[in-house]
Amino acid sequence: MSNARYLAPNLVTFAALLLGVTSIVLAVRGDYVNAAWMILWATVADRLDGLVARALKATSEFGVQMDSFGDFVNFGLAPAFLLYFALSRCPTLPFQDGGGLIALYAACVAWLLGATFRLARFNVLIEETPDHRIFFGIPTTLAAAMLCSWFLVILKYASPDNPLRPPPGSFTEWRLFGELSVGPGVWPWFLAAMVLFAGLMVSNVRMRKFGALGGKLLTGILYVFALSNIAVVAARILPDYIVLFATSWTLLFTVLGFIDPRMRGDGAPPLFPVGRANDR
């Protein structure tokens, strides 16, 4: 029974994995709004399994590997499936064949490779990184949250001529961005965003981890915003609020990674860290 406590965080990880698989199924079926929400719910579950593991003192190597595999499905495969099916199936967008389809496929592959590389590298750098208070590269969770929340915002504010305009009733809450109207010309930029995020995931951009921010006031304020963000994700409302939080968070801590001398003292880790050998 001494090992029973390890079951709880792994069950949370498994539940998050089911959300990612459900997102893929929904994307294939053409339910893009719910597919995106499944990924955002998975970001919340991804935070929860770590909290449960630390609370129960149930961290383990198995849990680390299972969490990494879940992240690959939830934040690598699922967003790529969502964007590929949403854009390639729309007849009035230039992604059904020819160069547009090749560009879309290349962007999805870049995203998938970036997430895979990021997760594999992170597992090795857990042991090799001298400062465990920072991330090297943007976490896959944050990158997926930004991509999917922006996707939902564009659907919410889609203009009448936007071919991915969702069914009526998909977004019934108030509009933080007022009368903003987003046309079909925004979708090609999503391909560039996927490639950009893929590069940031595998980069050596330094980001301070949430629990190592320093300063009780700043930490308290950020905790309030983080909890409110979790609440709106759980309630499946206000993607415009989610995107403001995720984008502001990324910009703030990416800039701090460049200008804060405390985060630039140690050399960057190698692009291909060696780590331990492991025969499979």
Side-chain angles (χ1 to χ4, degrees):
M1 293 296 293
S2 60
N3 292 327
R5 70 182 188 276
Y6 292 99
L7 183 61
N10 289 325
L11 285 176
V12 176
T13 302
F14 183 69
L17 178 60
L18 288 180
L19 290 171
V21 172
T22 302
S23 174
I24 292 172
V25 172
L26 290 171
V28 173
R29 294 172 61 178
D31 189 353
Y32 307 126
V33 173
N34 284 318
W37 279 116
M38 290 298 107
I39 297 171
L40 290 176
W41 280 0
T43 65
V44 175
D46 184 67
R47 300 274 70 82
L48 183 60
D49 65 359
L51 292 174
V52 172
R54 287 188 290 272
L56 297 177
K57 295 184 168 59
T59 56
S60 66
E61 181 65 22
F62 176 82
V64 170
Q65 299 305 324
M66 186 174 176
D67 183 69
S68 184
F69 177 75
D71 288 352
F72 167 73
V73 173
N74 296 337
F75 313 127
L77 277 178
F81 266 78
L82 171 62
L83 268 298
Y84 181 82
F85 280 101
L87 297 181
S88 66
R89 285 178 170 177
C90 190
T92 57
L93 290 177
F95 303 114
Q96 283 197 307
D97 51 29
L101 180 60
I102 293 173
L104 173 60
Y105 184 78
C108 292
V109 169
W111 176 276
L112 188 58
L113 291 177
T116 303
F117 189 92
R118 157 75 191 177
L119 291 167
R121 187 169 181 243
F122 177 76
N123 284 351
V124 176
L125 290 180
I126 287 178
E127 300 176 358
E128 296 188 3
T129 303
D131 190 346
H132 294 282
R133 298 170 300 173
I134 61 175
F135 288 115
F136 285 94
I138 291 180
T140 54
T141 311
L142 181 57
M146 287 188 62
L147 190 75
C148 293
S149 57
W150 273 112
F151 178 81
L152 287 171
V153 164
I154 292 173
L155 293 186
K156 180 176 179 177
Y157 292 90
S159 62
D161 63 335
N162 194 322
L164 280 178
R165 187 178 177 90
S170 297
F171 301 96
T172 58
E173 71 276 6
W174 62 92
R175 297 161 60 99
L176 296 183
F177 298 156
E179 298 304 315
L180 176 68
S181 182
V182 183
V186 72
W187 294 116
W189 290 100
F190 249 74
L191 276 61
M194 294 180 77
V195 175
L196 174 62
F197 288 152
L200 289 173
M201 283 189 279
V202 303
S203 71
N204 277 326
V205 169
R206 292 164 168 83
M207 293 191 70
R208 181 73 65 181
K209 292 184 179 180
F210 193 85
L213 297 174
K216 292 183 178 180
L217 179 59
L218 174 61
T219 301
I221 292 173
L222 290 175
Y223 263 108
V224 170
F225 280 109
L227 290 173
S228 64
N229 186 71
I230 291 172
V232 296
V233 171
R236 199 181 168 282
I237 59 172
L238 293 177
D240 24 17
Y241 178 82
I242 299 167
V243 84
L244 285 175
F245 178 82
T247 305
S248 300
W249 180 276
T250 303
L251 289 175
L252 172 63
F253 288 100
T254 300
V255 171
L256 286 178
F258 283 107
I259 66 175
D260 188 343
R262 296 172 298 176
M263 298 175 67
R264 291 186 286 113
D266 297 310
L271 186 62
F272 294 97
V274 178
R276 298 174 293 156
N278 182 23
D279 294 331
R280 297 182 185 274

